[in-house]
Amino acid sequence: MATVTPTDAVSSDSAFVDIDTVGLTYGRGPSRTQALNGTTIRVRKGGFAAVVGPSGCGKSSLMKLVTGLLPPTRGSVRVDGQTVNGPLKIVGMAFQNPTLLPWRTTLRNVMLPLEIVQPHRGRLRRNYDTYVEDARSLLRSVGLDGFEGRHPWELSGGMQQRASLCRALIHRPDLLMLDEPFAALDAFTREELWGVLQALWMARGFTVILVTHDLREAAYLAEEIHVMSARPGRIVATRQVPMPFPRSLEDTFKPDFVELVHELRDHISRERQA
Amino acid sequence: MSKDQSTAAIDDEPETRAASWASRLENAGPWLIGLATLVIWEAACRLLEVPRFVLPAPSAIWDSFWTWRGVIGMHAMQTLYTTVVGFAFAVVGGVLLGIGVGTSKALYKSLYPLLIGFNSVPKVAIVPILVIWFGIGTVPAVISAFLLSFFPIVVNVATGLATLEPELRDVLRSLGASRRDILLKVGLPRSLPYLFAALKVAITLALVGSVIAETIGSNAGIGYLMLMASGRFDVPLVFAGLFVVAIMGVAIYAMFAKLEARLTGWATRDVVYATGS
C-alpha cells in the first residue's frame, strides 16, 4: 500500500469539492431556521475531509448540499469543477442507519445502484456476471465473503454497515459522503471499520467527506478536520492531521494524536457554550 | 420419580419436547375451540329443548345443509363470484389510487378527506340506489363488494409508500433515480406487507358486501337464500347459509395468508426463526 501524505490547505481552483460561503435556510416566515451560514470547505481530489461539530449544527444539511439533494440559499457548491444543481451521479452515500432492503440478499442490495446509475444501468443485463464478480470482490474486501446470499436481518450491525459501504461504492463513485456511518456500532466494531474504510480509500482513491461527532474517528481517518459552530453552522477551525497513512489504532494513543483530539474537543465545547 | 429421570430433567430435551407440544397445541387451537363450541351448543339445545326455529342444534343445521346441498352450492358459487369480481376491481383500483395518494402530497391532501367521508357512508344505504340503477342481480352485489373492500387497500398501500425512510430515498435520489425508479425498486416491494394486511381484511369485507347486497336486492346468492329461508321460518337453513359464508371467508383468508408468507416472508421473519429454520 502506498503511503499518502496530507497536503497543505487546498486552493479554490484545485479543489474537487468546493463549498463556497454557502448559506442554507429552511422554511418561511416565523418557522425559518438557518442551518448553515457562510460555510466554506474545500477538499482536494482523492482527499479525506472530516466535519465535526456539536449536534444539530447542520452537518447533515451539508451532506444534502454536496449531493445536490438541496440547493443552497446563498453561495455555491462545486464538485469536480461543475456547479451542483441537481443529484450527482458520481456520489456514493452511507448513513448511520444502513438502510438495506430486507427483501434483497446482501449481494443484490450492494448491486442496487447499478440498476439506477447510467451507464451501468444499460449494461447491467448484458454484463451481469462481470458486475456480480465486481460486487463479490468488493464484499470480500470488507470481509463479507460467504454472506452474499444472506438477507440483511441475518447480519450483525457491523456487517450491515459494511454492506452499506459496499453499496455506496459499487458504482465506483468519485466522491463518498458519509453521515455518521459508524455511530450506532459498538466501540470495537467501529474501530475495525475505520480500518476497513481507510484501506478502501487508499486502494480506490475516491474523495471522502465524513460527517461525524466522534473526534477520534475524525482524527484517525481524515487528512483535514473542519470544526463547525452551533446552528447556524459555519466552519470555525480547520486542522490538518499530519500523521502519515496508513494509520493504525496504535497511532491513536500517541501524544500528538491525543493532543489533536484534545484541541478539537476544546473547540467543540466552546461552540456548545456559545 | 427415579433418580435417573430427575437428572435427565437437567438436560434441555424435555423442555424442547414441551415447546413442540405447545406449538402443536397452538396450531390445533382453532379446531379444538371450534369443536368444543359445537359440542356445547349441541348439548345445550338438546338438554334445554330449544325449539328449532329459535336456535337449531348443529346436527339440525348439518341435516339441513345436506338436504339442500345442491341449492346451497349454486347460491354459494354466485356469492363467491360476485365477491371475487368485486374484490378484484377493488385490488386494482385500490392499488392504483393508493400509489397516487402515497406518492403525491397534493393528491393525498385533496383526496384523503373525501375517502374518509366516502368510507363513513353506510354501504347498506347505497345498495337500494344501486338496485335502482342496475336492477336486481349480480351488478349491485359486485359493486357493493367493491365499495366495502376498496378503502383498506387504498389506505394501506398509501401508508406503505408514505413511510419510506428518508435516508433510503436520499440514497436513491442522489444516484439520479427517477420517481418511477424509487417506486418500483423500493416503494412497492416495501409496501407489499401493508398490501397483504389490507387484502386479508378486504376479502372478508368483500364477502360481507356481497351478502348484504344479496339480502336487499337479488334473486341469487347465499344472502338471498338466507332471506328466503328466514321467510319460511327454516332457521336451520339460515344457519347453514351463515356457516357457508363463514367457511368461505376463512378459506379465502387462508389462501391469502399462504400467498403472503411466500411473497413477503422477509417481513414476518421472526416467525421463521420460531420454527427453527
Side-chain angles (χ1 to χ4, degrees):
Chain A
M1 255 184 249
T3 41
V4 183
T5 32
T7 50
D8 293 326
V10 185
S11 74
S12 176
D13 3 289
S14 72
F16 182 69
V17 179
D18 184 5
I19 303 166
D20 190 15
T21 47
V22 155
L24 181 69
T25 312
Y26 287 111
R28 271 164 205 206
S31 65
R32 260 166 80 94
T33 46
Q34 196 165 25
L36 296 173
N37 186 19
T39 307
T40 299
I41 296 175
R42 295 200 178 94
V43 188
R44 70 168 184 95
K45 190 166 178 63
F48 198 131
V51 180
V52 297
S55 63
C57 69
K59 287 175 293 190
S60 298
S61 304
L62 199 65
M63 302 279 296
K64 293 197 172 173
L65 281 179
V66 177
T67 49
L69 292 175
L70 274 181
T73 323
R74 260 169 291 114
S76 73
V77 179
R78 286 189 302 142
V79 174
D80 203 9
Q82 304 281 314
T83 303
V84 176
N85 50 15
L88 286 178
K89 287 165 200 184
I90 55 158
V91 177
M93 289 174 103
F95 302 87
Q96 177 176 338
N97 180 352
T99 61
L100 299 172
L101 307 178
W103 57 91
R104 285 178 170 232
T105 61
T106 306
L107 184 70
R108 294 212 46 229
N109 259 298
V110 169
M111 293 179 72
L112 177 69
L114 300 176
E115 297 169 24
I116 292 166
V117 184
Q118 289 295 7
H120 305 293
R121 184 184 192 146
R123 292 188 203 145
L124 183 61
R125 197 161 294 171
R126 256 174 300 134
N127 306 326
Y128 196 74
D129 294 340
T130 333
Y131 278 116
V132 167
E133 202 32 63
D134 236 31
R136 280 181 189 279
S137 78
L138 191 57
L139 281 167
R140 212 174 301 131
S141 69
V142 300
L144 275 184
D145 38 340
F147 291 94
E148 294 91 343
R150 300 293 186 86
H151 285 84
W153 74 81
E154 297 172 283
L155 307 182
S156 68
M159 289 157 90
Q160 289 185 27
Q161 203 51 263
R162 285 165 204 251
S164 172
L165 265 181
C166 290
R167 184 181 63 187
L169 292 173
I170 186 70
H171 56 296
R172 300 186 176 277
D174 294 323
L175 178 61
L176 180 63
M177 300 294 293
L178 300 172
D179 189 355
E180 309 203 353
F182 311 131
L185 304 174
D186 64 274
F188 294 111
T189 311
R190 194 182 310 152
E191 287 172 356
E192 207 177 308
L193 285 186
W194 292 351
V196 168
L197 175 59
Q198 183 172 262
L200 280 171
W201 171 63
M202 290 180 67
R204 293 182 162 231
F206 45 78
T207 309
V208 187
I209 296 181
L210 167 73
V211 167
T212 180
H213 57 226
D214 183 339
L215 302 176
R216 280 186 68 228
E217 178 172 299
Y220 177 95
L221 286 166
E223 293 177 316
E224 195 167 49
I225 301 174
H226 304 271
V227 182
M228 272 182 104
S229 67
R231 198 170 265 244
R234 73 204 142 74
I235 303 300
V236 290
T238 296
R239 279 286 274 121
Q240 302 284 325
V241 186
M243 275 77 81
F245 292 97
R247 295 171 187 159
S248 70
L249 279 176
E250 273 308 303
D251 294 337
T252 66
F253 299 106
K254 287 180 181 162
D256 42 349
F257 187 95
V258 175
E259 199 180 313
L260 175 69
V261 171
H262 209 87
E263 190 198 324
L264 291 170
R265 185 170 300 280
D266 274 351
H267 275 298
I268 304 260
S269 51
R270 229 173 293 142
E271 281 310 319
R272 285 177 53 132
Q273 281 155 14
Chain B
M1 199 185 273
S2 78
K3 215 169 190 176
D4 280 337
Q5 276 170 322
S6 66
T7 47
I10 298 166
D11 206 329
D12 62 359
E13 201 197 326
E15 214 166 275
T16 47
R17 202 180 292 159
S20 91
W21 245 107
S23 90
R24 222 175 292 166
L25 200 65
E26 227 171 75
N27 288 334
W31 301 100
L32 290 179
I33 292 173
L35 201 67
T37 312
L38 289 179
V39 168
I40 294 169
W41 183 348
E42 181 79 38
C45 284
R46 284 179 189 229
L47 290 175
L48 304 173
E49 294 174 353
V50 183
R52 275 171 73 95
F53 62 87
V54 175
L55 180 68
S59 57
I61 296 170
W62 172 256
D63 282 345
S64 175
F65 171 78
W66 197 247
T67 315
W68 296 104
R69 60 188 185 276
V71 179
I72 290 176
M74 188 190 84
H75 286 293
M77 286 322 284
Q78 167 70 14
T79 302
L80 193 63
Y81 168 68
T82 54
T83 303
V84 169
V85 173
F87 178 67
F89 278 116
V91 171
V92 174
V95 168
L96 289 180
L97 193 62
I99 289 174
V101 172
T103 51
S104 150
K105 216 166 203 166
L107 218 53
Y108 176 89
K109 282 203 168 154
S110 47
L111 279 185
Y112 219 75
L114 295 179
L115 280 170
I116 299 280
F118 162 79
N119 197 47
S120 313
V121 174
K123 305 301 175 296
V124 190
I126 299 179
V127 178
I129 305 172
L130 294 176
V131 172
I132 293 173
W133 288 348
F134 301 104
I136 276 181
T138 305
V139 180
V142 168
I143 294 178
S144 98
F146 167 83
L147 290 178
L148 249 76
S149 53
F150 176 70
F151 188 72
I153 299 177
V154 175
V155 171
N156 273 34
V157 171
T159 308
L161 290 173
T163 54
L164 180 61
E165 294 91 338
E167 286 105 338
L168 192 53
R169 198 194 308 264
D170 283 353
V171 167
L172 293 170
R173 275 185 57 210
S174 73
L175 295 169
S178 63
R179 289 170 66 112
R180 194 170 150 269
D181 286 335
I182 296 177
L183 184 69
L184 291 179
K185 299 278 179 213
V186 184
L188 286 182
R190 199 181 161 285
S191 51
L192 263 190
Y194 292 84
L195 174 64
F196 271 104
L199 292 186
K200 289 191 291 186
V201 177
I203 188 64
T204 53
L205 287 176
L207 203 56
V208 170
S210 283
V211 174
I212 286 176
E214 285 162 3
T215 34
I216 295 174
S218 182
N219 45 20
I222 293 285
Y224 170 74
L225 177 77
M226 282 161 59
L227 193 71
M228 291 296 104
S230 71
R232 294 192 291 122
F233 277 96
D234 190 349
V235 183
L237 184 56
V238 175
F239 272 85
L242 279 180
F243 269 95
V244 168
V245 171
I247 289 167
M248 282 200 294
V250 173
I252 306 175
Y253 180 95
M255 250 166 52
F256 276 100
K258 267 263 155 58
L259 194 66
E260 178 186 28
R262 290 199 64 171
L263 287 178
T264 65
W266 54 268
T268 50
R269 54 190 175 263
D270 47 351
V271 181
V272 178
Y273 278 142
T275 56
S277 70

